[in-house]
Amino acid sequence: MTSQVSSPAEQAEPAEQPGGVAPPAAERDPSLLAPRRDPSEGSGAKEVRKLERVIIRFAGDSGDGMQLTGDRFTSETASFGNDLSTLPNFPAEIRAPAGTLPGVSSFQLHFADHDILTPGDAPDVLVAMNPAALKANIADVPRGAEIIVNTDEFTKRPMAKVGYATSPLEDGSLDAYRVHPVPLTTLTIEALKDFGLSRKEAERSKNMFALGLLSWMYHRPTQNTESFLRKKFAKKPEIAEANVAAFRAGWNFGETTEDFAVSYEVAPATSAFPSGTYRNISGNLALSYGLIAAARQADLPLYLGSYPITPASDILHELSKHKNFGVRTFQAEDEIAGIGAALGAAFGGSLAVTTTSGPGVALKSETIGLAVSLELPLLIVDIQRGGPSTGLPTKTEQADLLQAMYGRNGEAPVPVVAPRTAADCFDAAVDAARIALTYRTPVFLLSDGYLANGSEPWRVPEVHELPDLRVQFATGPNHELADGTEVFWPYKRDPQTLARPWAVPGTPGLEHRIGGIEKQDGTGNISYDPANHDFMVRTRQAKIDGIEVPDLDVDDPHGAKTLVLGWGSTYGPITAAVRRLRTEGAPIAQAHLRHLNPFPKNLGEVLKRYDKVIVPEMNLGQLATLIRAKYLVDAHSYNQVNGMPFKAEQLATALKEAIND
Amino acid sequence: MTEALKLVPKAEAKQSMKDFKSDQEVRWCPGCGDYAILAAVQGFMPELGLAKENIVFISGIGCSSRFPYYMNTYGMHSIHGRAPAIATGLASSRQDLSVWVVTGDGDALSIGGNHLIHALRRNVNLKILLFNNRIYGLTKGQYSPTSEVGKITKSTPMGSLDAPFNPVSLAIGAEASFVARTVDSDRKHLTEVLRQAAEHPGTALVEIYQNCNIFNDGAFEALKDKDQAQEAVIRLEHGHPIRFGTDNTKGVIRDRATGDLRVIEVTPENEADILVHDAHTPSPTTAFALSRLADPDTLHHTPIGVFRSTERPVYDTLMSDQLETAVEQKGKGDLTTLLTGNDTWTVVG
């Protein structure tokens, strides 16, 4: 029956489960999902090697569909049960000039049979769809790695365009690598010759040919990709079938050609995960789901006021799909109107959100200040990117921390919450909503481009595990005047949280006016009284300072003298670097902050326990500045602002130097 | 009750002007036109018969924007220029509210110009009262985007250089479905315009000429002085020929050669040609032409009344309809199904 497993088309999932949920791992014998030939089966059989982990990078022109290819490979890998982490990397231009270095788009995927933390430093396999892709990526590829090149593109002009005087495939410059020259374009066109497509149309499927080949190489399950293609091109069935055919042709090419003598298995990472139902998820998707879940848990309608901006727009796109959850999405005329509408909706009793990136935050600053003054719940989601100004729209950075902390006129404290991984964006969003609703305050949720677009497995939470976020709107008078009259005071605070009542329009008897002018404590009436202003400024600060956040956990198994402290998306690389150091016998303690404002209550005490504190950040030392100012600790910065996440190896070296310094 | 207010709960008991006065001391300069507008609005509100807890006034920054503090309804005194944006969020999430925006010529047309035009084109269910005094009052007297060219102010000692906006023209150009103009001192006219605005489904823009007796006193004197007003003011009434002047001796006709409007002395021969005002026509062309009749310097031939009042889909209703349609098509959202998605695997520990 070997012929039945010779092409993806004939792969079938084991017994379909209701709802499309895969069977437990124990039942998911990889041999049923991906083709595998036992070497004993016959002369056509190829060697299968087992690997613990692999890093693959797909690279091509912006128009080559590398992101889609990467997404599909990720999806296959996720459903196979590996742990994984991804790094999409693409230019800000939608279609930079074809075949040029700035036009190269890549997608890196790291997958393993154990838990992993980063998309990997250097690829084990590079798929280069053209000379530009090879040139732009070769420096990252270690010697001995495999490179699959589309030879059809290695002709004079495309090579000349990126400065190859001679073909790197022939001049010996790639001798240190294992190069697989594959005429991807020709093979794709050949495979699709019966589809009646133009050459140009057929060529477009070459990314699916490459995906098929890689799927064969790494024994990926293929059924979902075929279903995906049929669904994606449902309106153009001939294109769907052409893509499926190219995909299968790529798979078969691997199976039959002698150039690919070995295929690889990376077993599912079963022991890496606690039991549960898993899916692959990107940061922006997890964040969107977190917002929907928070609204549901708060029993409030969700309202998003937003203006499109990279890399935050996907949240607007995602939320606009879920109107059946009562989600209102408003694409405003500008960033200011986006947050303005959200604040209006918050006044009306919605869980209100605005989503943006750094330049948008700058425009929203005045309204954030108003929200501080009005003391209404509001989430400001900042998917950070390289700055200043327009900066690097599609690259990552953590340089908005101080903007989130201080970027407003007057004393305008705002809580700041930062997710640490793509999947963690869900929990961070729910936590940010908790703070906003409990304390009636705007809250910053600081994600970044790396988390937004990267993906990893996520244990789908049970809805009953989610926190209860229900709030009590004000319903009647809350204050008795000296003469016994019962009145409503919009700025009379809860003694525990210092939150003011949320009295939404439509509630009889609670008509009141709020605004950005300083208010008298209690009544909320306009007040220019100096002592009252002093009191109100301190009270607003005290409210934020008093927000309950969990203590900081420190991972320090060996009683280290050096602590590495991070926040946000550096969690993966820092943890990977820490593991390396410990494996080498160098003790180091690690802690990672989710709450940047207020800091966990034990942070000062934690910092003082260590001789040395190192703070790696993708900025020039913003957290380090805050730590030094608040705790008078001589925190050392390790910084990188190249638009990319830290590499674990590099970080490990830097930490080692810092320890020994 | 009209479409605009049908989702807003009604007052249980009869209301009076007193019910709409807040306990806050009114702090405009003595003699300010804002007092008259406040009194007219407070006097008109009981007529609407809406539960006052379902009425919200939202303002920006400027003298006029203190307005919400004096109304015993829900209110928000926001930041400069942003009231239409904030009100859009409130109105589009709460169809049971009657949302009013109070703004001025600087707030609405300068710093907040973008929000104003986008609110108008969306046709959000908002009633925007634009107090136009043709000056910056709160910052003590700089020229505004409606000030006449050459205006001498603190910031323009040699005269202002900017050509002014005509708010009515601007609103019509921004696809407004309801545009009107009235004057602070004419309480009866102001109230009638407010009545029509309140009943309009969608965004209503009401420009109210308002006197700033400190920094731009007498700006609208030509329209208020009994002798001059006869010649200066053209009162628009839907379905009526557009005539004005002493004994209605003047009228507005369409110039056959250019298609534009002009003012003529009415004679028995041309009487039949006098334009009959049609505020409900879908085409904005004539309403726009009417907005251009006034001389920006002398204010002669200034039409007041409702220029345009046409029905088109209201943003909040459309938004709400989409939510309902989504539920019809996909069923009410189920969180577990959403979070799980279609591509999962199970790990058994």
Side-chain angles (χ1 to χ4, degrees), chain B residues 107-306:
Chain B
D107 193 55
L109 299 171
S110 203
I111 194 166
N114 200 29
H115 308 307
L116 178 74
I117 58 175
H118 288 277
L120 292 170
R121 83 173 160 90
R122 288 192 187 102
N123 208 28
V124 186
N125 200 4
L126 302 175
K127 312 307 154 203
I128 303 174
L129 309 182
L130 195 170
F131 296 14
N132 181 6
N133 55 17
R134 309 187 79 181
I135 198 78
Y136 282 117
L138 197 62
T139 49
K140 302 193 175 178
Q142 301 82 7
Y143 74 105
S144 91
T146 56
S147 295
E148 59 277 18
V149 177
K151 192 164 191 72
I152 307 281
T153 71
K154 282 186 185 146
S155 60
T156 50
M158 295 173 72
S160 64
L161 305 173
D162 324 16
F165 270 138
N166 175 328
V168 170
S169 303
L170 181 87
I172 293 169
E175 309 291 345
S177 56
F178 183 102
V179 187
R181 177 188 288 144
T182 184
V183 185
D184 57 1
S185 53
D186 188 343
R187 174 129 173 205
K188 190 164 161 243
H189 189 265
L190 174 56
T191 303
E192 175 52 30
V193 167
L194 291 176
R195 186 177 293 128
Q196 293 191 45
E199 289 174 357
H200 175 73
T203 313
L205 180 100
V206 180
E207 180 189 23
I208 306 172
Y209 281 157
Q210 172 249 324
N211 191 43
C212 172
N213 57 322
I214 306 296
F215 296 108
N216 202 18
D217 196 24
F220 304 104
E221 199 52 28
L223 310 179
K224 296 179 175 186
D225 176 74
K226 275 216 162 67
D227 297 333
Q228 295 181 62
Q230 292 280 354
E231 295 301 315
V233 177
I234 304 176
R235 286 172 184 266
L236 300 174
E237 283 178 69
H238 175 75
H240 292 272
I242 304 173
R243 295 182 65 162
F244 67 105
T246 317
D247 303 325
N248 271 347
T249 50
K250 288 186 176 160
V252 173
I253 62 157
R254 194 183 301 282
D255 185 312
R256 294 207 178 158
T258 65
D260 206 350
L261 303 183
R262 63 189 169 89
V263 172
I264 54 154
E265 294 284 340
V266 181
T267 64
E269 292 74 41
N270 65 18
E271 198 169 0
D273 296 337
I274 303 295
L275 192 69
V276 174
H277 183 49
D278 180 2
H280 304 325
T281 181
S283 165
T285 308
T286 306
F288 187 83
L290 283 169
S291 77
R292 311 306 295 177
L293 276 179
D295 181 314
D297 295 322
T298 65
L299 297 185
H300 276 183
H301 305 161
T302 295
I304 65 169
V306 178

Side-chain angles (χ1 to χ4, degrees), chain B residues 3-64:
Chain B
E3 185 71 20
L5 301 169
K6 82 170 184 230
L7 297 175
V8 184
K10 307 298 165 288
E12 285 173 8
K14 197 167 156 36
Q15 299 164 324
S16 71
M17 183 171 173
K18 188 165 69 55
D19 293 323
F20 288 91
K21 288 184 173 174
S22 79
D23 60 357
Q24 297 297 295
E25 181 196 355
V26 184
R27 291 189 194 168
W28 287 310
C29 306
C32 175
D34 290 354
Y35 283 96
I37 304 171
L38 178 64
V41 172
Q42 287 169 335
F44 159 71
M45 280 288 150
E47 194 188 300
L48 281 179
L50 302 174
K52 75 184 162 76
E53 64 269 20
N54 287 75
I55 299 172
V56 186
F57 278 82
I58 297 183
S59 64
I61 292 291
C63 294
S64 60

Side-chain angles (χ1 to χ4, degrees), chain A residues 19-26 28 72 75 78-82 84 224 231 270 273-280 289-290 292-293 296-297 303 318 321-334 336-337 340-345 347-350 366-367 370 374 376 426 457-458 460-461 463 466 503-517 524-526 528, chain B residues 9 21-24 27 51-59 61 66-97 111-119 121-122 124 315-316 319-349:
Chain A
V21 177
R28 300 172 74 238
R72 284 319 313 165
S75 220
S79 66
F80 184 69
N82 293 124
L84 66 89
N224 287 348
K231 201 172 157 199
T270 37
F273 298 114
S275 57
T277 300
Y278 285 79
R279 63 177 286 172
N280 185 52
Y289 286 177
I292 293 172
R296 182 55 63 93
Q297 292 304 100
Y303 191 101
E318 185 60 34
K321 287 184 206 163
H322 302 295
K323 298 188 201 299
N324 61 330
F325 283 82
V327 177
R328 284 178 160 82
T329 54
F330 173 66
Q331 183 177 315
E333 58 271 23
D334 58 29
I336 299 170
L343 185 60
F347 185 52
S350 289
E366 191 189 12
T367 312
L370 177 62
L374 298 183
L376 285 169
F426 179 88
W458 176 48
V460 180
V463 170
L466 299 174
V504 301
T507 316
L510 306 192
E511 293 85 354
H512 65 282
R513 277 66 54 190
I514 53 178
I517 297 186
N525 291 329
I526 289 179
Y528 300 116
Chain B
K21 288 184 173 174
S22 79
D23 60 357
Q24 297 297 295
R27 291 189 194 168
K52 75 184 162 76
E53 64 269 20
N54 287 75
I55 299 172
V56 186
F57 278 82
I58 297 183
S59 64
I61 292 291
R66 298 298 179 95
F67 197 95
Y69 288 118
Y70 311 132
M71 294 294 299
N72 190 19
T73 62
Y74 282 86
M76 188 195 292
H77 177 216
S78 77
I79 46 178
H80 208 9
R82 317 303 170 200
I86 292 168
T88 293
L90 182 62
S92 63
S93 60
R94 291 286 306 272
Q95 289 183 284
D96 61 328
L97 303 178
I111 194 166
N114 200 29
H115 308 307
L116 178 74
I117 58 175
H118 288 277
R121 83 173 160 90
R122 288 192 187 102
V124 186
Y315 187 85
D316 351 348
M319 192 183 229
S320 203
D321 287 350
Q322 281 197 342
L323 264 56
E324 281 173 24
T325 307
V327 171
E328 278 164 26
Q329 289 174 349
K330 300 198 261 184
K332 207 165 174 340
D334 177 71
L335 193 55
T336 301
T337 310
L338 175 76
L339 300 185
T340 307
N342 302 318
D343 229 351
T344 60
W345 68 96
T346 308
V347 173
V348 181

